[in-house]
Amino acid sequence: MIMTNKKWAVKRITVNLAAQEAEKLEQYCQQTGRPATDVIRELIRGLSIAEETKEVSR
């Protein structure tokens, strides 16, 4: 059985940010003391998506 210590590492992504976006993220992280990964993860969790409608064939 293979055990890993990676609690969150399910999928790694790269995000391209404009200079102003990156600066804003860095400033926010400095002000709050939170890592960028946590901030971005929280923002993603807050996204709303339309529920998929499933038709049941009868």
Side-chain angles (χ1 to χ4, degrees):
M1 176 180 237
I2 298 173
M3 301 290 285
T4 64
N5 291 330
K6 296 181 181 181
K7 183 178 179 182
W8 296 103
V10 174
K11 183 169 184 172
R12 181 177 300 252
I13 64 170
T14 300
V15 178
N16 297 318
L17 300 174
Q20 290 178 330
E21 295 167 337
E23 182 62 29
K24 189 171 188 176
L25 178 60
E26 289 173 15
Q27 288 178 355
Y28 182 84
C29 291
Q30 287 176 352
Q31 290 174 1
T32 61
R34 298 174 62 203
T37 300
D38 289 351
V39 172
I40 294 167
R41 192 179 288 131
E42 182 179 315
L43 291 169
I44 291 171
R45 287 183 189 138
L47 296 174
S48 61
I49 56 172
E51 290 187 35
E52 294 179 359
T53 57
K54 296 181 180 178
E55 290 187 28
V56 178
S57 300
R58 291 183 184 202

Short mmCIF file of all heavy atoms in Angstrom, two decimals:
data_model
loop_
_atom_site.label_atom_id
_atom_site.label_comp_id
_atom_site.label_asym_id
_atom_site.label_seq_id
_atom_site.Cartn_x
_atom_site.Cartn_y
_atom_site.Cartn_z
N MET A 1 0.85 -1.17 0.00
CA MET A 1 0.00 0.00 0.00
C MET A 1 0.89 1.24 0.00
O MET A 1 1.77 1.37 0.83
CB MET A 1 -0.91 -0.03 1.22
CG MET A 1 -1.78 1.19 1.36
SD MET A 1 -2.81 1.07 2.80
CE MET A 1 -4.39 1.26 2.05
N ILE A 2 0.64 2.17 -0.91
CA ILE A 2 1.43 3.39 -1.02
C ILE A 2 0.74 4.49 -0.23
O ILE A 2 -0.43 4.78 -0.44
CB ILE A 2 1.59 3.82 -2.49
CG1 ILE A 2 2.34 2.73 -3.25
CG2 ILE A 2 2.33 5.14 -2.58
CD1 ILE A 2 2.42 2.98 -4.73
N MET A 3 1.48 5.11 0.68
CA MET A 3 0.95 6.20 1.49
C MET A 3 1.61 7.49 1.05
O MET A 3 2.81 7.51 0.80
CB MET A 3 1.24 5.97 2.98
CG MET A 3 0.65 4.67 3.53
SD MET A 3 -1.13 4.72 3.65
CE MET A 3 -1.31 5.75 5.07
N THR A 4 0.85 8.56 0.95
CA THR A 4 1.42 9.86 0.60
C THR A 4 1.09 10.86 1.70
O THR A 4 0.07 10.73 2.38
CB THR A 4 0.88 10.39 -0.74
OG1 THR A 4 -0.52 10.61 -0.60
CG2 THR A 4 1.15 9.42 -1.87
N ASN A 5 1.94 11.84 1.84
CA ASN A 5 1.72 12.90 2.82
C ASN A 5 1.03 14.11 2.21
O ASN A 5 0.81 15.09 2.88
CB ASN A 5 3.06 13.34 3.43
CG ASN A 5 3.65 12.26 4.30
OD1 ASN A 5 2.93 11.47 4.88
ND2 ASN A 5 4.97 12.23 4.39
N LYS A 6 0.70 14.04 0.95
CA LYS A 6 0.08 15.17 0.26
C LYS A 6 -1.40 15.20 0.58
O LYS A 6 -2.18 14.40 0.08
CB LYS A 6 0.31 15.08 -1.24
CG LYS A 6 1.78 15.19 -1.61
CD LYS A 6 1.95 15.11 -3.11
CE LYS A 6 3.42 15.20 -3.46
NZ LYS A 6 3.64 15.15 -4.88
N LYS A 7 -1.78 16.16 1.44
CA LYS A 7 -3.17 16.27 1.85
C LYS A 7 -4.05 16.81 0.72
O LYS A 7 -5.16 16.35 0.53
CB LYS A 7 -3.25 17.18 3.06
CG LYS A 7 -4.63 17.33 3.63
CD LYS A 7 -4.60 18.20 4.86
CE LYS A 7 -5.99 18.39 5.43
NZ LYS A 7 -5.99 19.25 6.59
N TRP A 8 -3.57 17.80 -0.03
CA TRP A 8 -4.39 18.48 -1.03
C TRP A 8 -4.00 18.20 -2.47
O TRP A 8 -4.77 18.47 -3.37
CB TRP A 8 -4.30 20.00 -0.82
CG TRP A 8 -4.87 20.44 0.49
CD1 TRP A 8 -4.17 20.79 1.60
CD2 TRP A 8 -6.24 20.57 0.85
NE1 TRP A 8 -5.02 21.14 2.61
CE2 TRP A 8 -6.30 21.01 2.18
CE3 TRP A 8 -7.43 20.36 0.16
CZ2 TRP A 8 -7.50 21.25 2.83
CZ3 TRP A 8 -8.62 20.59 0.82
CH2 TRP A 8 -8.65 21.02 2.14
N ALA A 9 -2.80 17.73 -2.70
CA ALA A 9 -2.27 17.65 -4.06
C ALA A 9 -2.99 16.61 -4.91
O ALA A 9 -2.52 15.51 -5.09
CB ALA A 9 -0.78 17.38 -4.04
N VAL A 10 -4.15 16.98 -5.40
CA VAL A 10 -4.90 16.10 -6.29
C VAL A 10 -4.63 16.51 -7.72
O VAL A 10 -4.38 15.69 -8.58
CB VAL A 10 -6.41 16.17 -5.98
CG1 VAL A 10 -7.20 15.37 -7.00
CG2 VAL A 10 -6.68 15.66 -4.58
N LYS A 11 -4.64 17.81 -7.98
CA LYS A 11 -4.36 18.32 -9.31
C LYS A 11 -3.63 19.66 -9.18
O LYS A 11 -4.06 20.53 -8.43
CB LYS A 11 -5.65 18.53 -10.10
CG LYS A 11 -5.41 18.99 -11.51
CD LYS A 11 -6.66 18.94 -12.34
CE LYS A 11 -6.34 19.31 -13.77
NZ LYS A 11 -7.46 19.11 -14.65
N ARG A 12 -2.56 19.80 -9.89
CA ARG A 12 -1.78 21.04 -9.87
C ARG A 12 -2.09 21.82 -11.14
O ARG A 12 -2.13 21.26 -12.23
CB ARG A 12 -0.29 20.73 -9.81
CG ARG A 12 0.59 21.95 -9.76
CD ARG A 12 2.03 21.56 -9.62
NE ARG A 12 2.23 20.79 -8.41
CZ ARG A 12 2.86 21.27 -7.34
NH1 ARG A 12 3.35 22.49 -7.36
NH2 ARG A 12 3.01 20.54 -6.27
N ILE A 13 -2.35 23.12 -10.98
CA ILE A 13 -2.63 23.97 -12.13
C ILE A 13 -1.69 25.17 -12.13
O ILE A 13 -1.16 25.55 -11.10
CB ILE A 13 -4.10 24.45 -12.17
CG1 ILE A 13 -4.41 25.33 -10.96
CG2 ILE A 13 -5.06 23.28 -12.24
CD1 ILE A 13 -5.75 26.02 -11.05
N THR A 14 -1.52 25.75 -13.29
CA THR A 14 -0.75 26.98 -13.44
C THR A 14 -1.71 28.06 -13.90
O THR A 14 -2.50 27.84 -14.82
CB THR A 14 0.37 26.80 -14.48
OG1 THR A 14 1.23 25.75 -14.04
CG2 THR A 14 1.16 28.06 -14.67
N VAL A 15 -1.65 29.21 -13.26
CA VAL A 15 -2.54 30.32 -13.61
C VAL A 15 -1.69 31.49 -14.05
O VAL A 15 -0.77 31.90 -13.35
CB VAL A 15 -3.41 30.73 -12.39
CG1 VAL A 15 -4.29 31.90 -12.74
CG2 VAL A 15 -4.22 29.55 -11.90
N ASN A 16 -1.99 32.03 -15.22
CA ASN A 16 -1.30 33.21 -15.72
C ASN A 16 -2.06 34.45 -15.26
O ASN A 16 -3.25 34.58 -15.53
CB ASN A 16 -1.23 33.20 -17.25
CG ASN A 16 -0.41 32.03 -17.74
OD1 ASN A 16 0.64 31.72 -17.19
ND2 ASN A 16 -0.90 31.37 -18.77
N LEU A 17 -1.37 35.34 -14.54
CA LEU A 17 -1.99 36.55 -14.02
C LEU A 17 -1.32 37.78 -14.62
O LEU A 17 -0.11 37.77 -14.84
CB LEU A 17 -1.85 36.62 -12.50
CG LEU A 17 -2.46 35.49 -11.68
CD1 LEU A 17 -2.10 35.66 -10.22
CD2 LEU A 17 -3.96 35.44 -11.86
N ALA A 18 -2.10 38.82 -14.83
CA ALA A 18 -1.54 40.11 -15.21
C ALA A 18 -0.76 40.64 -14.01
O ALA A 18 -1.01 40.23 -12.86
CB ALA A 18 -2.66 41.07 -15.59
N ALA A 19 0.15 41.55 -14.25
CA ALA A 19 0.99 42.08 -13.18
C ALA A 19 0.14 42.67 -12.04
O ALA A 19 0.44 42.44 -10.86
CB ALA A 19 1.94 43.14 -13.73
N GLN A 20 -0.91 43.39 -12.38
CA GLN A 20 -1.78 43.99 -11.36
C GLN A 20 -2.51 42.93 -10.55
O GLN A 20 -2.70 43.09 -9.34
CB GLN A 20 -2.80 44.93 -12.00
CG GLN A 20 -2.17 46.20 -12.56
CD GLN A 20 -3.20 47.08 -13.24
OE1 GLN A 20 -4.20 46.59 -13.77
NE2 GLN A 20 -2.95 48.38 -13.24
N GLU A 21 -2.91 41.86 -11.20
CA GLU A 21 -3.60 40.77 -10.50
C GLU A 21 -2.65 40.07 -9.53
O GLU A 21 -3.02 39.79 -8.37
CB GLU A 21 -4.16 39.76 -11.50
CG GLU A 21 -5.25 40.34 -12.39
CD GLU A 21 -5.58 39.46 -13.57
OE1 GLU A 21 -4.73 38.64 -13.99
OE2 GLU A 21 -6.69 39.61 -14.10
N ALA A 22 -1.45 39.81 -9.98
CA ALA A 22 -0.46 39.16 -9.13
C ALA A 22 -0.11 40.03 -7.93
O ALA A 22 0.00 39.55 -6.80
CB ALA A 22 0.80 38.83 -9.93
N GLU A 23 0.04 41.32 -8.17
CA GLU A 23 0.35 42.26 -7.09
C GLU A 23 -0.78 42.32 -6.07
O GLU A 23 -0.55 42.34 -4.87
CB GLU A 23 0.63 43.65 -7.66
CG GLU A 23 1.01 44.69 -6.62
CD GLU A 23 2.28 44.38 -5.86
OE1 GLU A 23 3.17 43.71 -6.41
OE2 GLU A 23 2.39 44.80 -4.69
N LYS A 24 -2.01 42.35 -6.56
CA LYS A 24 -3.17 42.39 -5.67
C LYS A 24 -3.22 41.12 -4.81
O LYS A 24 -3.49 41.20 -3.61
CB LYS A 24 -4.45 42.54 -6.49
CG LYS A 24 -5.68 42.82 -5.67
CD LYS A 24 -6.86 43.18 -6.56
CE LYS A 24 -8.05 43.64 -5.76
NZ LYS A 24 -9.16 44.07 -6.62
N LEU A 25 -2.97 39.98 -5.41
CA LEU A 25 -2.95 38.72 -4.67
C LEU A 25 -1.84 38.73 -3.62
O LEU A 25 -2.06 38.35 -2.47
CB LEU A 25 -2.78 37.53 -5.62
CG LEU A 25 -2.70 36.15 -4.98
CD1 LEU A 25 -3.97 35.83 -4.18
CD2 LEU A 25 -2.46 35.08 -6.05
N GLU A 26 -0.66 39.18 -4.01
CA GLU A 26 0.47 39.23 -3.07
C GLU A 26 0.17 40.17 -1.90
O GLU A 26 0.45 39.83 -0.75
CB GLU A 26 1.74 39.69 -3.80
CG GLU A 26 2.29 38.64 -4.74
CD GLU A 26 3.45 39.17 -5.59
OE1 GLU A 26 4.01 40.24 -5.26
OE2 GLU A 26 3.78 38.51 -6.59
N GLN A 27 -0.39 41.34 -2.19
CA GLN A 27 -0.73 42.28 -1.13
C GLN A 27 -1.77 41.70 -0.17
O GLN A 27 -1.66 41.84 1.04
CB GLN A 27 -1.24 43.60 -1.72
CG GLN A 27 -0.16 44.42 -2.36
CD GLN A 27 -0.72 45.71 -2.99
OE1 GLN A 27 -1.94 45.93 -3.01
NE2 GLN A 27 0.17 46.53 -3.51
N TYR A 28 -2.77 41.05 -0.74
CA TYR A 28 -3.81 40.43 0.08
C TYR A 28 -3.21 39.37 1.00
O TYR A 28 -3.53 39.30 2.18
CB TYR A 28 -4.92 39.82 -0.79
CG TYR A 28 -6.04 39.23 0.01
CD1 TYR A 28 -7.08 40.03 0.48
CD2 TYR A 28 -6.07 37.87 0.32
CE1 TYR A 28 -8.11 39.49 1.22
CE2 TYR A 28 -7.09 37.33 1.07
CZ TYR A 28 -8.12 38.13 1.52
OH TYR A 28 -9.13 37.60 2.28
N CYS A 29 -2.33 38.55 0.43
CA CYS A 29 -1.70 37.49 1.22
C CYS A 29 -0.83 38.07 2.33
O CYS A 29 -0.82 37.55 3.45
CB CYS A 29 -0.88 36.58 0.31
SG CYS A 29 -1.90 35.60 -0.80
N GLN A 30 -0.13 39.15 2.05
CA GLN A 30 0.69 39.80 3.08
C GLN A 30 -0.18 40.39 4.17
O GLN A 30 0.13 40.26 5.36
CB GLN A 30 1.56 40.89 2.46
CG GLN A 30 2.70 40.35 1.63
CD GLN A 30 3.50 41.45 0.94
OE1 GLN A 30 3.12 42.62 0.95
NE2 GLN A 30 4.61 41.07 0.33
N GLN A 31 -1.28 41.01 3.80
CA GLN A 31 -2.17 41.64 4.78
C GLN A 31 -2.86 40.62 5.66
O GLN A 31 -3.08 40.86 6.85
CB GLN A 31 -3.23 42.49 4.08
CG GLN A 31 -2.67 43.74 3.44
CD GLN A 31 -3.71 44.50 2.64
OE1 GLN A 31 -4.89 44.11 2.56
NE2 GLN A 31 -3.29 45.59 2.01
N THR A 32 -3.21 39.48 5.10
CA THR A 32 -3.96 38.48 5.85
C THR A 32 -3.08 37.39 6.45
O THR A 32 -3.53 36.63 7.30
CB THR A 32 -5.02 37.80 4.95
OG1 THR A 32 -4.35 37.14 3.86
CG2 THR A 32 -6.03 38.81 4.41
N GLY A 33 -1.83 37.30 5.96
CA GLY A 33 -0.93 36.26 6.44
C GLY A 33 -1.28 34.88 5.91
O GLY A 33 -0.85 33.87 6.45
N ARG A 34 -2.07 34.83 4.86
CA ARG A 34 -2.50 33.56 4.28
C ARG A 34 -1.72 33.28 3.01
O ARG A 34 -1.42 34.20 2.25
CB ARG A 34 -3.99 33.59 3.96
CG ARG A 34 -4.83 33.80 5.21
CD ARG A 34 -6.29 33.98 4.88
NE ARG A 34 -6.80 32.79 4.24
CZ ARG A 34 -7.86 32.77 3.46
NH1 ARG A 34 -8.51 33.86 3.20
NH2 ARG A 34 -8.25 31.64 2.91
N PRO A 35 -1.43 32.01 2.73
CA PRO A 35 -0.76 31.67 1.47
C PRO A 35 -1.71 31.80 0.28
O PRO A 35 -2.93 31.64 0.41
CB PRO A 35 -0.33 30.22 1.66
CG PRO A 35 -1.17 29.69 2.76
CD PRO A 35 -1.60 30.85 3.60
N ALA A 36 -1.14 32.11 -0.88
CA ALA A 36 -1.94 32.29 -2.09
C ALA A 36 -2.77 31.05 -2.41
O ALA A 36 -3.92 31.17 -2.86
CB ALA A 36 -1.03 32.65 -3.27
N THR A 37 -2.22 29.89 -2.17
CA THR A 37 -2.95 28.64 -2.45
C THR A 37 -4.27 28.60 -1.68
O THR A 37 -5.32 28.25 -2.23
CB THR A 37 -2.09 27.42 -2.09
OG1 THR A 37 -0.91 27.46 -2.87
CG2 THR A 37 -2.83 26.12 -2.33
N ASP A 38 -4.23 28.98 -0.40
CA ASP A 38 -5.45 28.96 0.41
C ASP A 38 -6.46 29.99 -0.08
O ASP A 38 -7.67 29.73 -0.12
CB ASP A 38 -5.13 29.22 1.87
CG ASP A 38 -4.40 28.06 2.52
OD1 ASP A 38 -4.29 26.98 1.90
OD2 ASP A 38 -3.93 28.23 3.67
N VAL A 39 -5.97 31.17 -0.44
CA VAL A 39 -6.86 32.24 -0.92
C VAL A 39 -7.54 31.80 -2.21
O VAL A 39 -8.76 31.92 -2.35
CB VAL A 39 -6.06 33.54 -1.14
CG1 VAL A 39 -6.92 34.60 -1.82
CG2 VAL A 39 -5.49 34.06 0.18
N ILE A 40 -6.78 31.28 -3.15
CA ILE A 40 -7.34 30.85 -4.43
C ILE A 40 -8.31 29.68 -4.24
O ILE A 40 -9.39 29.65 -4.84
CB ILE A 40 -6.20 30.50 -5.42
CG1 ILE A 40 -5.42 31.76 -5.75
CG2 ILE A 40 -6.75 29.82 -6.67
CD1 ILE A 40 -4.11 31.52 -6.45
N ARG A 41 -7.94 28.75 -3.39
CA ARG A 41 -8.82 27.60 -3.12
C ARG A 41 -10.15 28.06 -2.55
O ARG A 41 -11.22 27.58 -2.95
CB ARG A 41 -8.11 26.63 -2.17
CG ARG A 41 -8.80 25.30 -2.05
CD ARG A 41 -8.05 24.37 -1.11
NE ARG A 41 -6.82 23.92 -1.73
CZ ARG A 41 -5.62 23.96 -1.13
NH1 ARG A 41 -5.49 24.43 0.08
NH2 ARG A 41 -4.56 23.50 -1.75
N GLU A 42 -10.11 29.02 -1.63
CA GLU A 42 -11.35 29.55 -1.05
C GLU A 42 -12.21 30.25 -2.10
O GLU A 42 -13.43 30.09 -2.12
CB GLU A 42 -11.02 30.52 0.08
CG GLU A 42 -12.25 31.08 0.77
CD GLU A 42 -11.89 32.03 1.89
OE1 GLU A 42 -10.99 31.70 2.68
OE2 GLU A 42 -12.52 33.10 1.96
N LEU A 43 -11.57 31.01 -2.98
CA LEU A 43 -12.31 31.69 -4.04
C LEU A 43 -12.98 30.68 -4.97
O LEU A 43 -14.12 30.87 -5.39
CB LEU A 43 -11.39 32.62 -4.83
CG LEU A 43 -10.90 33.85 -4.07
CD1 LEU A 43 -9.79 34.55 -4.84
CD2 LEU A 43 -12.05 34.80 -3.79
N ILE A 44 -12.28 29.61 -5.30
CA ILE A 44 -12.84 28.58 -6.17
C ILE A 44 -14.03 27.90 -5.51
O ILE A 44 -15.06 27.65 -6.13
CB ILE A 44 -11.76 27.55 -6.58
CG1 ILE A 44 -10.74 28.22 -7.50
CG2 ILE A 44 -12.39 26.32 -7.23
CD1 ILE A 44 -9.51 27.38 -7.79
N ARG A 45 -13.90 27.61 -4.22
CA ARG A 45 -15.01 26.97 -3.50
C ARG A 45 -16.25 27.84 -3.48
O ARG A 45 -17.37 27.34 -3.42
CB ARG A 45 -14.59 26.66 -2.06
CG ARG A 45 -13.62 25.52 -1.95
CD ARG A 45 -13.32 25.23 -0.49
NE ARG A 45 -12.23 24.28 -0.39
CZ ARG A 45 -11.23 24.37 0.49
NH1 ARG A 45 -11.18 25.36 1.35
NH2 ARG A 45 -10.29 23.46 0.51
N GLY A 46 -16.07 29.17 -3.53
CA GLY A 46 -17.19 30.09 -3.49
C GLY A 46 -17.90 30.28 -4.82
O GLY A 46 -18.92 30.95 -4.88
N LEU A 47 -17.35 29.72 -5.88
CA LEU A 47 -17.98 29.85 -7.20
C LEU A 47 -19.29 29.09 -7.24
O LEU A 47 -19.40 27.98 -6.73
CB LEU A 47 -17.04 29.30 -8.29
CG LEU A 47 -15.73 30.02 -8.50
CD1 LEU A 47 -14.87 29.26 -9.51
CD2 LEU A 47 -15.97 31.44 -8.97
N SER A 48 -20.29 29.70 -7.86
CA SER A 48 -21.55 28.99 -8.01
C SER A 48 -21.63 28.46 -9.43
O SER A 48 -21.21 29.13 -10.38
CB SER A 48 -22.73 29.92 -7.71
OG SER A 48 -22.73 31.00 -8.60
N ILE A 49 -22.16 27.28 -9.56
CA ILE A 49 -22.35 26.68 -10.88
C ILE A 49 -23.79 26.23 -11.01
O ILE A 49 -24.43 25.87 -10.02
CB ILE A 49 -21.39 25.49 -11.12
CG1 ILE A 49 -21.52 24.43 -10.03
CG2 ILE A 49 -19.95 25.96 -11.17
CD1 ILE A 49 -20.75 23.16 -10.32
N ALA A 50 -24.29 26.26 -12.21
CA ALA A 50 -25.67 25.82 -12.45
C ALA A 50 -25.73 24.31 -12.26
O ALA A 50 -24.84 23.58 -12.67
CB ALA A 50 -26.10 26.19 -13.86
N GLU A 51 -26.78 23.88 -11.60
CA GLU A 51 -26.95 22.44 -11.42
C GLU A 51 -27.29 21.78 -12.75
O GLU A 51 -28.06 22.31 -13.54
CB GLU A 51 -28.07 22.16 -10.42
CG GLU A 51 -27.70 22.54 -9.00
CD GLU A 51 -28.76 22.09 -8.01
OE1 GLU A 51 -29.35 21.00 -8.24
OE2 GLU A 51 -28.99 22.80 -7.05
N GLU A 52 -26.69 20.63 -12.95
CA GLU A 52 -26.99 19.88 -14.17
C GLU A 52 -28.35 19.22 -14.01
O GLU A 52 -28.67 18.65 -12.98
CB GLU A 52 -25.92 18.81 -14.40
CG GLU A 52 -24.57 19.38 -14.70
CD GLU A 52 -23.53 18.28 -14.90
OE1 GLU A 52 -23.87 17.09 -14.78
OE2 GLU A 52 -22.39 18.62 -15.17
N THR A 53 -29.14 19.35 -15.05
CA THR A 53 -30.45 18.68 -15.02
C THR A 53 -30.30 17.32 -15.66
O THR A 53 -29.72 17.17 -16.72
CB THR A 53 -31.52 19.51 -15.75
OG1 THR A 53 -31.07 19.73 -17.08
CG2 THR A 53 -31.74 20.84 -15.06
N LYS A 54 -30.82 16.34 -14.98
CA LYS A 54 -30.74 14.97 -15.48
C LYS A 54 -32.14 14.49 -15.79
O LYS A 54 -33.03 14.54 -14.95
CB LYS A 54 -30.10 14.06 -14.44
CG LYS A 54 -28.68 14.42 -14.13
CD LYS A 54 -28.09 13.49 -13.11
CE LYS A 54 -26.66 13.86 -12.80
NZ LYS A 54 -26.06 13.00 -11.80
N GLU A 55 -32.29 14.05 -17.00
CA GLU A 55 -33.59 13.49 -17.39
C GLU A 55 -33.54 11.98 -17.19
O GLU A 55 -32.58 11.33 -17.58
CB GLU A 55 -33.89 13.79 -18.85
CG GLU A 55 -34.18 15.26 -19.09
CD GLU A 55 -34.64 15.48 -20.52
OE1 GLU A 55 -35.22 14.56 -21.12
OE2 GLU A 55 -34.42 16.59 -21.02
N VAL A 56 -34.55 11.47 -16.59
CA VAL A 56 -34.63 10.03 -16.37
C VAL A 56 -35.48 9.43 -17.49
O VAL A 56 -36.63 9.81 -17.69
CB VAL A 56 -35.27 9.72 -15.00
CG1 VAL A 56 -35.39 8.23 -14.80
CG2 VAL A 56 -34.48 10.38 -13.89
N SER A 57 -34.88 8.54 -18.25
CA SER A 57 -35.61 7.88 -19.33
C SER A 57 -36.52 6.81 -18.75
O SER A 57 -36.10 6.00 -17.94
CB SER A 57 -34.64 7.24 -20.32
OG SER A 57 -33.81 8.23 -20.86
N ARG A 58 -37.75 6.82 -19.19
CA ARG A 58 -38.69 5.79 -18.67
C ARG A 58 -39.29 5.04 -19.81
O ARG A 58 -39.58 5.44 -20.82
CB ARG A 58 -39.80 6.45 -17.86
CG ARG A 58 -39.24 7.01 -16.60
CD ARG A 58 -40.37 7.59 -15.78
NE ARG A 58 -39.77 8.21 -14.60
CZ ARG A 58 -40.40 8.43 -13.52
NH1 ARG A 58 -41.67 8.10 -13.39
NH2 ARG A 58 -39.84 9.00 -12.50
#
